[in-house]
Amino acid sequence: MSPNRSERRDAAENRQRILDSALRLFEQHGVEQVSMNQIAIEAQIGPGTLYRRYRNKGELCLELMKENIILLFEQIEEYLNLNRAESASERLKGVLALFLRFREKKAQLLKGVEESASAGRTKSRTQSPIYHELHQLFVGLFDEMAASAAEPSRLNGVFAADILLTALSSDSYSFQRDVRGHTPETILEQLCLTFIPSP
Amino acid sequence: MSPNRSERRDAAENRQRILDSALRLFEQHGVEQVSMNQIAIEAQIGPGTLYRRYRNKGELCLELMKENIILLFEQIEEYLNLNRAESASERLKGVLALFLRFREKKAQLLKGVEESASAGRTKSRTQSPIYHELHQLFVGLFDEMAASAAEPSRLNGVFAADILLTALSSDSYSFQRDVRGHTPETILEQLCLTFIPSP
DNA sequence: ATATTAAACGGAGACGTCTCCGTTTGTCAA
DNA sequence: TTGACAAACGGAGACGTCTCCGTTTAATAT
């Protein structure tokens, strides 16, 4: 990208080397197996320099996904635009499907993000911008669903979105995948059955 | 307890010292702030000895809660016995209330358990016996609810129980408490609204 | 009593994360 | 060009988890 007005040349070079090194190591050994130290060595910088730029592995993972994340939200926006007429529950399902596709592709990096996030002081969830944006989106859809329901429910849209999001976290999702043997499709189905009032 | 047929005397003494030390340190500084090293030092044993007995802090926390956990399940069983006549959804609510009470009282230790569990190789959830037992219980209730429902649902009881359990995890629960400002009561209410089909 | 042995011990050290701080180095203004 | 300064650097080291392995020791058989 364009040199951000004030990023030193050497810093920019290092940044690129970090990203390249991390990507290579991650692909070769898997995100979980690679330590920040290894990345620092591979990138030929000191650990301090690495941590100066990325407070933890999660931030690095996030950086590596940045473009894909932007793409994801563009897809979502596009889908939402093209399906304005659909019911809120149908649109929720659509958005979920898009996210699940993303989650499948970026499983490892996503996990890397969540692990460091929860390790750090701050509790996690609201941390990652991904989840924050998704949350807002879900709240909107839940509220809309509630508004168009026959009988009003005391169910809080924010709460429902929170729970849905934790169900989409790496921990929960991988568990359904690897232990329960679900496919993305059956997970989507079950999520809809759980979070969307009876059809 | 009774010397388990073959626990060396010195080992038993150490075990007790570990438990005492851990309890004291946890109460004084909070579970999260206390390291296994500190516990080892306080108990006057080597780190290796500590880890030989408890593979991680989580196992130690679990041990510290053992009696309370047993009590919890006794309470649940009693409640279930006294309320056989109630609907499955009502009983689910009752069990949840009991667990939430437990979770409030043992929040720190519970968190300790979950953190080490997820840090370790194995994924977590099914790990802790608490969650495993609760899971079975929930599955039974969900299935019962489905059986007595007007229209059959494709919602999987196992899946619903899994999601409910992740919603009860330290991460999710503390988030609702501390960030969203919920009380145990409102959380219980919202959980019911989320996981129990419209009344 | 003594020998045997399996369990328990303990601490060094591998490896990780992350911070602190003295040193180096672009950059920009004079 | 040069001087000053903020930013970037790097690595030592604090602290944590957890393992490995030579040594000690309680329990049991002789």
Side-chain angles (χ1 to χ4, degrees):
Chain A
M1 298 302 131
S2 62
N4 196 345
R5 166 60 158 142
S6 59
E7 178 177 35
R8 260 211 243 171
R9 200 178 60 251
D10 56 343
E13 283 164 10
N14 280 337
R15 172 213 291 288
Q16 200 49 54
R17 262 211 316 291
I18 291 172
L19 260 23
D20 290 348
S21 304
L23 200 57
R24 174 165 49 246
L25 289 174
F26 284 167
E27 279 173 358
Q28 186 167 1
H29 305 289
V31 173
E32 202 145 9
Q33 305 310 314
V34 177
S35 74
M36 290 292 267
N37 273 345
Q38 287 175 56
I39 296 171
I41 292 170
E42 177 88 5
Q44 306 190 64
I45 59 174
T49 304
L50 178 52
Y51 275 98
R52 134 179 282 281
R53 196 175 300 276
Y54 302 105
R55 276 204 299 261
N56 52 52
K57 210 162 85 171
E59 285 196 1
L60 215 185
C61 291
L62 206 52
E63 180 75 23
L64 288 174
M65 288 193 292
K66 208 168 202 170
E67 292 188 13
N68 288 282
I69 292 174
I70 293 173
L71 240 54
L72 168 66
F73 282 105
E74 285 175 357
Q75 281 177 21
I76 291 178
E77 198 170 343
E78 183 187 348
Y79 168 86
L80 251 23
N81 272 334
L82 292 176
N83 293 275
R84 283 226 179 85
E86 293 290 345
S87 68
S89 57
E90 182 57 32
R91 275 172 286 151
L92 176 59
K93 186 171 180 174
V95 173
L96 276 177
L98 287 173
F99 176 71
L100 256 35
R101 202 142 60 78
F102 171 77
R103 135 131 272 146
E104 285 287 324
K105 200 173 322 191
K106 295 296 170 184
Q108 286 205 16
L109 288 176
L110 229 21
K111 185 170 177 177
V113 171
E114 293 175 32
E115 281 179 0
S116 312
S118 62
R121 190 57 48 230
T122 48
K123 259 306 55 25
S124 68
R125 217 157 331 284
T126 326
Q127 238 37 40
S128 162
I130 319 174
Y131 288 107
H132 186 65
E133 286 212 34
L134 276 180
H135 186 268
Q136 293 184 297
L137 224 154
F138 289 154
V139 170
L141 290 171
F142 276 123
D143 284 349
E144 201 177 322
M145 282 169 50
S148 65
E151 31 184 327
S153 167
R154 281 164 1 256
L155 176 56
N156 186 332
V158 171
F159 184 88
D162 281 336
I163 303 302
L164 176 52
L165 242 19
T166 83
L168 294 174
S169 71
S170 290
D171 245 29
S172 171
Y173 187 78
S174 322
F175 183 80
Q176 295 303 322
R177 284 286 263 133
D178 305 338
V179 180
R180 297 294 186 222
H182 278 295
T183 63
E185 289 74 28
T186 59
I187 293 178
L188 175 58
E189 181 196 21
Q190 294 296 313
L191 284 174
C192 289
L193 289 170
T194 303
F195 289 95
I196 298 177
S198 52
Chain B
M1 303 296 135
S2 63
N4 197 346
R5 166 60 160 139
S6 59
E7 178 174 35
R8 260 210 248 172
R9 202 179 56 251
D10 58 341
E13 283 163 11
N14 279 337
R15 173 215 291 291
Q16 201 48 56
R17 262 214 313 291
I18 291 171
L19 260 22
D20 290 348
S21 303
L23 199 57
R24 176 165 48 248
L25 289 174
F26 284 168
E27 279 173 357
Q28 185 165 1
H29 305 289
V31 174
E32 202 146 10
Q33 305 309 313
V34 177
S35 74
M36 290 293 265
N37 273 345
Q38 285 175 59
I39 296 171
I41 291 170
E42 177 89 4
Q44 306 191 62
I45 59 174
T49 303
L50 179 53
Y51 276 98
R52 136 179 277 282
R53 197 177 297 278
Y54 302 105
R55 276 204 299 263
N56 52 54
K57 211 162 83 172
E59 286 196 1
L60 216 184
C61 290
L62 206 51
E63 179 76 21
L64 253 16
M65 286 193 294
K66 208 169 202 169
E67 292 187 13
N68 288 282
I69 292 174
I70 293 174
L71 241 55
L72 168 65
F73 283 105
E74 285 175 358
Q75 282 178 21
I76 291 178
E77 199 170 341
E78 185 188 346
Y79 168 85
L80 251 23
N81 272 334
L82 292 176
N83 293 275
R84 283 226 179 85
E86 293 290 346
S87 68
S89 57
E90 183 58 31
R91 276 173 287 150
L92 175 59
K93 186 171 179 174
V95 173
L96 276 177
L98 286 172
F99 176 71
L100 256 34
R101 203 143 57 80
F102 171 78
R103 136 128 274 150
E104 284 287 323
K105 201 174 321 191
K106 296 295 171 185
Q108 286 203 17
L109 288 175
L110 231 20
K111 183 170 179 177
V113 170
E114 293 174 33
E115 281 179 0
S116 311
S118 62
R121 190 57 50 232
T122 48
K123 257 313 50 18
S124 70
R125 219 160 331 285
T126 326
Q127 238 38 40
S128 163
I130 320 173
Y131 288 108
H132 187 64
E133 287 212 33
L134 276 180
H135 186 268
Q136 293 184 296
L137 225 154
F138 289 154
V139 171
L141 290 171
F142 276 125
D143 284 349
E144 203 177 321
M145 282 169 48
S148 66
E151 31 181 329
S153 168
R154 283 165 359 256
L155 176 55
N156 186 331
V158 172
F159 184 88
D162 281 337
I163 303 303
L164 175 53
L165 241 20
T166 82
L168 293 174
S169 71
S170 289
D171 244 29
S172 169
Y173 187 78
S174 320
F175 183 79
Q176 295 302 323
R177 285 286 263 130
D178 305 338
V179 180
R180 298 294 186 220
H182 279 295
T183 63
E185 290 73 29
T186 58
I187 293 179
L188 175 59
E189 181 196 22
Q190 293 297 313
L191 284 174
C192 290
L193 290 170
T194 302
F195 289 95
I196 299 177
S198 51

